[in-house]
Amino acid sequence: MDPARNTGRCLCGSVRYEVSGPAASLCYCHCDSCRRAAGAPMVAWGTFARSAFRVTRGQLSEHRSSAPVLRGFCASCGGALTYQHDARPTEIDVTLASLDAPAALAPRMHVWVAEKLPWLVISDGLPQFTASSGAAAGP
Ligand SMILES: [Zn+2]
Ligand SMILES: [Zn+2]
């Protein structure tokens, strides 16, 4: 198996995707938008080249959560899968938890910590950014 090629899917399996190449960034995003989109206290993202991402089954439904942000999800089960920001047209962020082998790619930092929920305590020693690190999911 090619370690640089990752596959993933939504909860119901209607949407499957494939993404290749190294992740440019791996992070936990604590922003309010990611939280609401996923229904979770934070979301783990991996940033890849947009040209290296393709949907291999079904169709990605899209929702513009703010003017520059397009979020991709499964219309059947609601699983959050992708994030695209107009300021980063060559990149796409993929939810690490939707990968078929999520253990292989671990987040390396926390972003948008200014919006973090107070009851979520970060104790992993990873770098923390108040807002975006420059290449990370955010509102
Ligand atoms: Zn689904
Ligand atoms: Zn976010």
Side-chain angles (χ1 to χ4, degrees), residues 6 16 20 26 35 57 59-60 62 66 75 77 79 83 92 94 100-102 105 113 117 119 122 133-134:
N6 288 287
R16 287 185 173 276
S20 57
L26 296 164
R35 216 158 59 213
R57 179 181 172 179
Q59 195 180 344
L60 205 56
E62 294 180 315
S66 68
C77 70
Y83 171 106
I92 187 167
V94 172
D100 289 327
L105 291 176
V113 172
L117 292 175
W119 44 258
I122 300 172
S133 71

Side-chain angles (χ1 to χ4, degrees), residues 25 27-29 45 47 83 85 88 91 93 109 111-112 131-139:
S25 167
C27 73
Y28 290 106
C29 186
W45 293 104
T47 302
Y83 171 106
H85 196 294
R88 298 189 283 118
E91 295 180 333
D93 297 345
M109 62 183 161
V111 301
W112 293 96
S132 168
S133 71

Side-chain angles (χ1 to χ4, degrees), residues 49-73:
R50 202 173 288 190
S51 57
F53 175 89
R54 70 186 182 98
V55 173
T56 54
R57 179 181 172 179
Q59 195 180 344
L60 205 56
S61 291
E62 294 180 315
H63 168 68
R64 202 161 272 281
S65 60
S66 68
V69 173
L70 196 60
R71 292 176 185 271
F73 63 98

Side-chain angles (χ1 to χ4, degrees), residues 10-15 74 76-79:
C10 64
L11 174 61
C12 75
S14 296
V15 181
C74 170
S76 298
C77 70

